[in-house]
Amino acid sequence: MNVFLIYLSYSILVLNLSLYAISFFKKEKVNGFFLIFLLFVTIIQLSMEALYHLHKNNLFLMNLYFIGQMFLMGLFYGSLTCMKVQKRIIYSTTALVLTGIGIQSWFDYEQFFQYNLFVIVITNLSVIVFAIFHLYNMLSSEKKYYYVTIGLLMYLLATTMVFVVGNINAKLNNEVKFMLWTFNSILVVLYYLFILYEWKVSFLFKKKDKPSFF
């Protein structure tokens, strides 16, 4: 079941990347930062899968995923907001978090190649704040990337708890571990389906316009 969910998520992710890329190059208003994010996630996920089958350590890619997600989502949500205060908070937070992770890696570079709860929690919480800003803005403006944001928030809030619990995995039996990671796999699939639904609602049969990073 878990393997099925993992490969299902890969399939939906590749489909999302393909559809958003087609829309972008057909001059529809796909945010360029979001397209880069989808490409980044696809590369990381497939690379982690390849390293797993080669019996190599892929935890550094997991840490890179969370860092890259925060950086690209910061650019994405920063480009969507028109409020200068929010832009400053988003970009400042991104810079501070990257600095903090850099300092941690400087003093203990091995942390980057291990299960790093600090990286997971601080990057996820940052993206949650960025997404909440966007939800707030949509109360009085056009609902751009509404379903992406809802799906992202649901995924990050739940999966952060999964990873926090995963930090004490040594004290859990195998059945509980399996349930946790199956739940996480379901969350990933649902999140990617929200992204797919966003494409259907926002870009399928929509009027064409120039592609934009903003």
Side-chain angles (χ1 to χ4, degrees), residues 4-34:
F4 169 75
L5 290 172
I6 290 172
Y7 285 104
L8 176 61
S9 69
Y10 293 162
S11 301
I12 300 172
L13 177 60
V14 172
L15 176 61
N16 283 337
L17 174 62
S18 302
L19 292 174
Y20 277 86
I22 291 170
S23 294
F24 181 82
F25 290 110
K26 279 187 173 182
K27 302 184 182 298
E28 296 172 358
K29 298 187 72 174
V30 173
N31 186 285
F33 291 127
F34 187 69

Side-chain angles (χ1 to χ4, degrees), residues 16 20 34 37 65 69 73 76-77 124 127-128 131-132 134-135 138 144-160 183-198:
N16 283 337
Y20 277 86
F34 187 69
F37 167 72
Y65 167 81
Q69 175 179 253
M73 286 290 98
F76 170 61
Y77 284 116
N124 278 1
V127 178
I128 288 171
I132 290 174
H134 186 59
L135 275 184
M138 284 190 290
K144 292 182 179 180
Y145 296 95
Y146 174 77
Y147 295 103
V148 166
T149 302
I150 293 296
L152 178 64
L153 280 172
M154 290 173 57
Y155 167 70
L156 289 181
L157 287 170
T159 199
T160 299
F183 177 60
N184 187 68
S185 298
I186 293 172
L187 290 174
V188 172
V189 170
L190 290 175
Y191 172 40
Y192 291 165
L193 287 174
F194 268 89
I195 294 175
L196 180 60
Y197 188 70
E198 180 70 52

